[in-house]
Amino acid sequence: PARRRRRRARAARGRRPRGRSAGRVTHDDDGGPRSTWGRRRRLVGAPERPHRKEGTVRIVALGGTGFLSSAVVEAAREVGHDVVVVSRGQHGAPPREDVTWVRADRADSDALAAALAGIEANAVIDSCGYSVGGARAAASALAGVPRYAYVSSISAYRDWPPGPIQDEDAPLFTPEDNLEDYGPMKAASERVLGGAVHALGGNFLAVRAGLLI
């Protein structure tokens, strides 16, 4: 009862109860997002989400506003998973209002870590990896999450094109290849992320997609 009275008193004074992350979205002078410690923001007007159902998890979706990443967010919410969307906000809002949306550049490890401070995730779905630097930043901030799925590409295989690719053990591009090229970049990003996740005892999945429709 005493604890309840203290919580009510804090609420009446406009203070948040302890144990919850608080923050706000701010921007630098150049208009870019600036991370604040523990910042979390729900979309304006979004309904409160109920507690997660048994068997569901909290997923951090890197991306969330693109062609593939929007579909990932939709599918995860349809089955009841709690979704935290991380994006820069340059391509609009996430496809649903019943998600938590934090703004950060996934290639900035400090901004990414600050944006997700206080958010305990069970899994990451990374569908917007376009540089090895971005993979290193995500590895630094998120390698401790127990499950990490990275959307790679069939182009990570050295012999594609023309192929065919017989199985997942086909040779990939190596660190000696030009990492500015798309295929070598994807292969290198897999190594960076997979190595970091496995080093902390997590599970890593690289999805080497072909045609997305």
Side-chain angles (χ1 to χ4, degrees):
R3 182 179 300 175
R4 188 176 302 168
R5 287 196 296 271
R6 287 196 296 271
R7 286 180 177 270
R8 288 175 178 172
R10 289 192 190 100
R13 294 194 299 268
R15 295 170 54 186
R16 293 175 180 266
R18 294 179 181 177
R20 296 183 182 179
S21 297
R24 57 191 177 87
V25 176
T26 59
H27 292 80
D28 292 324
D29 293 338
D30 63 0
R34 182 172 69 243
S35 297
T36 58
W37 180 259
R39 185 191 69 212
R40 303 177 68 178
R41 189 179 79 128
R42 193 180 303 281
L43 293 179
V44 175
E48 288 292 327
R49 294 194 302 274
H51 293 295
R52 293 199 306 273
K53 299 177 182 179
E54 184 178 356
T56 61
V57 299
R58 174 172 290 132
I59 298 171
V60 169
L62 295 182
T65 59
F67 173 70
L68 174 62
S69 56
S70 292
V72 168
V73 172
E74 291 275 11
R77 285 300 300 138
E78 284 298 321
V79 294
H81 295 307
D82 191 10
V83 179
V84 179
V85 173
V86 181
S87 75
R88 294 172 297 175
Q90 296 183 353
H91 300 287
R96 298 175 63 117
E97 293 186 337
D98 56 349
V99 300
T100 299
W101 181 23
V102 296
R103 295 192 185 192
D105 185 347
R106 62 85 37 85
D108 184 333
S109 58
D110 291 336
L112 192 58
L116 293 171
I119 297 176
E120 296 184 4
N122 307 103
V124 176
I125 300 179
D126 183 351
S127 53
C128 67
Y130 298 108
S131 71
V132 180
R136 293 193 184 102
S140 175
L142 292 165
V145 177
R147 301 172 185 85
Y148 198 114
Y150 174 68
V151 179
S152 185
S153 170
I154 194 173
S155 297
Y157 291 109
R158 173 175 289 281
D159 297 328
W160 180 269
I165 303 301
Q166 299 296 335
D167 56 34
E168 290 85 355
D169 294 325
L172 304 175
F173 283 102
T174 70
E176 288 70 39
D177 292 302
N178 183 3
L179 302 186
E180 296 297 319
D181 291 340
Y182 184 73
M185 177 275 294
K186 282 295 191 181
S189 296
E190 287 185 26
R191 287 190 292 272
V192 168
L193 289 165
V197 172
H198 288 148
L200 294 177
N203 296 314
F204 177 76
L205 172 67
V207 182
R208 298 177 188 136
L211 180 64
L212 298 175
I213 57 174

